[in-house]
Amino acid sequence: MQVGIDAVSFAVPEGYIDLGELAEARGIPPEKYFSGLGVRQMAVAAFHEDPVAMAANAARRLFRQSGASVDEVGLCIVGTETAVDHAKPVAVYLHSLLGLPSTCRVFETKHACFGGTAGILHAIDWIRSGSHRGRSALVVCTDIARYPLQTAGEPTQGAGAVAMLIRERPRLLAIDAARSGSYARDVYDFWRPLARKDALTDGHFSVQCYLEALSGSYQAFRSQPGASDAFDRYCYHVPYGKMARKAHRHLRGLQGLDEAAADAQFEQEVAPSLIFPSLVGNVYTGSLYLAVASLLHHQAARLEGRPIALFSYGSGCVAEFFPATVQPGAGAFAAALQLDQPLTQRTKLSIPAYESIRNADDTNDTRQAPPGMEPWSGQGTDTPSLHDQVVYLGIDTAERRVYKNRTTA
Ligand code: CAA
């Protein structure tokens, strides 16, 4: 039985900045960002675009575009490292914002950027075990990547959510989870202490940890009987584009190619997956799947029936390397999903506007919603509308988060 990603969709904030303008404002040569880091634009989440709102908007778009029904969902997992509550999971907010069945299992997963992959692998096991009883799983990755302003990490921020439907006989990508190679090691390469909104990182060490985890998980994959490393394309976790280039050099080196030969393959084997990420930035848990969406949007038709490799990295750290196959018919279905559409409706922010959004971030979770606004009830005017946008409005007097359809806010 084949199981994998049946449909995918993403949501990004309405605002983004041009990283050439950020470089200029910081007195850094733009080429350092463009070719040194491989980034061009960076999504900036405004107050109303919190991880729940972005997750709901990505998932609503998923159901609208794919024709799937929320009634078929039996499992909803949200992978995130920027959750909005220590106890209440983003997944249960989605439960009512989407109108999922009451018989649905919902929970949140965390291990830095690996949380979404943990959700997908769990969903595949849930289907293969038979627990799904014919139902599908919804896995949503949602995050706002923040580093302190004016640090080396600043141009590698971003924000967005990627929603995926995991099913038997998937229309886009079958995933061979049984052959996944895993790797873990306790390291302090990237962390976010409880009281902080922005992450701390030992940047250069984190690059080293990522590459070691790639070696470890790839070797674990290769040690399995029947594991083939003949892949047409490679999708990596993309904190910034250059990291994927380093990863490809490293991996192809393990396969016996020298650096020049690996670089020569990069444009064909990796570059199509980096187009969307270069316009959005790091979306943490969703980064690998934004890369997958980019690849499918640009090349699914020519890759039907072909094997691709996926590498997921979560700082701290954990990694998995696993094979997947692009499904027959994926080209036409990916075109129907109009995956690039969220990127065509954005507004460029000035650097001062971006800075003032970021400087106000610390108050996002304590700002009061307009008087009289209550948490989402899923009833009356709160009936889920898959055609509307969800917005976050702040907290009520009992510190409960308030979400509305944009039209009823
Ligand atoms: N023109 C062209 N290139 C230039 C340049 C110029 N004028 N000036 C510098 N460069 C190049 C450098 O040569 C370097 O290239 P290489 O990596 O190929 O050597 C590149 O630009 C970066 O420059 P620096 O080495 O000076 O690095 P930096 O101090 O600016 O920091 C960073 C880079 C460590 C990635 C930093 O942005 C950071 O800490 N980011 C956050 C952490 C991160 O993303 N880590 C990735 C691995 S961990 C992970 O993947 C999990 C996750 O999602 C966070």
Side-chain angles (χ1 to χ4, degrees):
M1 180 194 10
Q2 299 217 305
V3 183
I5 301 175
D6 179 67
V8 61
S9 184
F10 64 88
V12 288
E14 290 153 350
Y16 72 94
I17 57 169
D18 179 289
L19 288 171
E21 293 177 14
L22 182 68
E24 201 178 312
R26 299 291 179 253
I28 287 171
E31 272 315 301
K32 174 172 178 183
Y33 289 177
F34 297 153
S35 73
L37 293 175
V39 293
R40 297 210 79 82
Q41 297 177 353
M42 191 173 89
V44 179
F47 167 71
H48 63 278
E49 297 167 313
D50 80 346
V52 173
M54 290 193 298
N57 291 328
R60 285 178 168 201
R61 188 173 153 72
L62 177 79
F63 289 107
R64 282 201 311 270
Q65 295 298 120
S66 69
S69 163
V70 291
D71 296 333
E72 70 180 67
V73 176
L75 174 66
C76 170
I77 307 175
V78 174
T80 183
E81 55 184 299
T82 50
V84 297
D85 193 288
H86 289 303
K88 191 173 160 104
V90 175
V92 86
Y93 289 97
L94 284 196
H95 187 269
S96 62
L97 291 166
L98 300 172
L100 296 176
S102 62
T103 50
C104 186
R105 179 187 296 165
V106 298
F107 60 93
E108 188 176 290
T109 50
K110 182 182 82 174
H111 186 142
C113 302
F114 182 77
T117 300
I120 288 175
L121 296 177
H122 177 90
I124 291 173
D125 289 347
W126 175 75
I127 292 171
R128 287 197 172 280
S129 71
S131 297
H132 72 309
R133 301 190 297 274
R135 295 169 296 169
S136 310
L138 171 66
V139 178
V140 187
C141 308
T142 185
D143 275 304
I144 301 176
R146 295 185 181 98
Y147 300 99
L149 299 185
Q150 313 208 16
T151 61
E154 185 178 28
T156 66
Q157 301 173 102
V162 183
M164 289 160 281
L165 205 58
I166 310 297
R167 255 192 192 159
E168 287 178 88
R169 295 179 292 281
R171 286 174 282 181
L172 293 177
L173 205 58
I175 292 177
D176 190 356
R179 285 226 165 78
S180 186
S182 308
Y183 173 89
R185 184 183 156 213
D186 183 7
V187 288
Y188 254 111
D189 63 332
F190 166 104
W191 62 105
R192 189 165 67 85
L194 286 174
R196 295 188 74 105
K197 268 229 172 296
D198 39 19
L200 300 175
T201 177
D202 186 345
H204 292 277
F205 179 53
S206 74
V207 172
Q208 201 183 316
C209 292
Y210 177 119
L211 295 176
E212 280 174 17
L214 175 58
S215 300
S217 59
Y218 173 69
Q219 275 149 8
F221 159 72
R222 284 290 284 153
S223 67
Q224 293 170 67
S228 156
D229 65 0
F231 296 112
D232 283 24
R233 299 288 182 273
Y234 295 79
C235 291
Y236 296 98
H237 169 61
V238 191
Y240 54 96
K242 181 71 161 292
M243 188 69 240
R245 185 180 283 274
K246 287 177 192 279
H248 201 54
R249 254 181 216 164
H250 191 74
L251 184 77
R252 296 300 256 144
L254 296 173
Q255 294 170 339
L257 256 58
D258 65 27
E259 205 172 289
D263 279 355
Q265 298 293 326
F266 178 83
E267 280 307 313
Q268 180 179 330
E269 294 179 340
V270 185
S273 68
L274 300 181
I275 298 168
F276 290 174
S278 74
L279 303 176
V280 177
N282 194 354
V283 292
Y284 288 163
T285 49
S287 290
L288 168 62
Y289 303 99
L290 191 62
V292 168
S294 182
L295 176 66
L296 293 174
H297 177 72
H298 292 97
Q299 296 201 332
R302 81 172 79 155
L303 291 174
E304 287 180 15
R306 306 303 308 161
I308 66 171
L310 273 65
F311 172 68
S312 181
Y313 177 71
S315 283
C317 72
V318 69
E320 299 232 6
F321 185 97
F322 50 100
T325 308
V326 179
Q327 294 301 280
F333 186 50
L337 291 172
Q338 299 181 296
L339 293 171
D340 63 338
Q341 212 219 354
L343 295 171
T344 62
Q345 302 167 331
R346 303 189 301 164
T347 305
K348 190 169 79 156
L349 302 173
S350 67
I351 301 306
Y354 144 74
E355 287 172 343
S356 78
I357 289 173
R358 286 297 326 276
N359 286 331
D361 275 349
D362 278 344
T363 61
N364 285 359
D365 299 324
T366 47
R367 236 189 275 182
Q368 291 294 312
M373 287 290 191
E374 306 230 313
W376 186 273
S377 65
Q379 282 161 13
T381 54
D382 279 351
T383 305
S385 161
L386 296 183
H387 293 273
D388 209 343
Q389 291 283 306
V390 173
V391 287
Y392 166 63
L393 295 181
I395 57 168
D396 71 3
T397 49
E399 298 193 32
R400 301 176 304 179
R401 295 177 85 87
V402 178
Y403 295 91
K404 291 288 169 214
N405 277 332
R406 174 163 270 163
T407 47
T408 55

